[in-house]
Amino acid sequence: MGSFRYDYDDDGIQYEGGAEVHCYKGKQGIYSLYSSWSLLTPNLHRPLMFASMRFKMAPGGYLSFFQNYDSDFKTFKRTARLLNRLIDMADSEDKAPYLALGVPPHLYGIRIDKNNITVNRYVPEDDSPSRKYRFTDKQLPKPMMECICDFGIASGLINFDNARKRS
């Protein structure tokens, strides 16, 4: 549904933070919604946020959610709202790579199939024929555990120093 990534390379910290909201269609009409917020902000109430929910489309267009609905839905809405604000506030040079390919900025609303190929065709700016795009693993949403580990390593909370003493 949308992705915004930012590379932090200040004061010796190398970290890629991101804000992502995406949905997967599973078997038997069950959908999974995921949201992650791993951007570093001065707001201490917004350090890392993750949500995952599952739902099924019921007859009449109603959504039937499964477990953890209350707590995860609030986090999901907050992450989606903040991501939408980031995409709206992004300047033209942030949007330029996407617009050159003809895709929506920050992959907002892009649908891909199980082979990581876009469902819709997009027309690049250079007036070449419309085409579908294949996404690499690097371009796909980062799993929650990868976000947590990257943050832990960058902040020094996870240390792989072999010189430390063992008790």
Side-chain angles (χ1 to χ4, degrees):
M1 292 183 183
S3 175
F4 190 94
R5 293 194 183 173
Y6 184 79
D7 288 321
Y8 297 94
D9 200 10
D10 299 343
D11 301 327
I13 295 176
Q14 292 187 343
Y15 172 68
E16 180 187 48
E20 298 174 325
V21 174
H22 55 281
C23 180
Y24 291 106
K25 181 179 179 183
K27 295 181 180 179
Q28 300 174 349
I30 296 177
Y31 295 83
S32 299
L33 284 172
Y34 297 97
S35 70
S36 63
W37 178 275
S38 60
L39 293 173
L40 304 177
T41 63
N43 185 349
L44 298 177
H45 298 291
R46 196 180 308 133
L48 298 174
M49 296 185 295
F50 301 98
S52 65
M53 299 178 297
R54 295 176 352 146
F55 68 92
K56 187 172 186 169
M57 294 283 271
Y62 295 102
L63 302 180
S64 174
F65 284 89
F66 295 100
Q67 62 200 12
N68 299 336
Y69 168 73
D70 293 333
S71 61
D72 286 341
F73 189 62
K74 183 177 179 182
T75 303
F76 181 83
K77 287 191 313 184
R78 186 175 188 192
T79 306
R81 187 181 71 244
L82 291 169
L83 173 63
N84 192 36
R85 186 178 300 164
L86 281 175
I87 291 172
D88 286 345
M89 291 174 36
D91 57 1
S92 58
E93 79 180 39
D94 284 342
K95 295 178 181 180
Y98 301 100
L99 297 175
L101 295 174
V103 297
H106 299 285
L107 311 178
Y108 193 75
I110 288 200
R111 294 180 4 206
I112 58 174
D113 62 14
K114 62 184 176 183
N115 298 320
N116 300 337
I117 299 173
T118 58
V119 174
N120 299 333
R121 300 176 88 61
Y122 296 98
V123 180
E125 280 186 343
D126 62 2
D127 293 331
S128 58
S130 66
R131 60 178 162 219
K132 294 184 177 186
Y133 294 99
R134 177 181 295 276
F135 286 87
T136 64
D137 290 337
K138 178 79 173 143
Q139 295 169 315
L140 293 176
K142 288 172 66 173
M144 177 180 63
M145 198 50 131
E146 185 179 345
C147 293
I148 292 171
C149 289
D150 287 350
F151 177 79
I153 292 168
S155 64
L157 296 172
I158 299 174
N159 188 357
F160 294 110
D161 186 12
N162 291 333
R164 64 180 174 192
K165 296 180 182 178
R166 295 183 184 189
S167 316

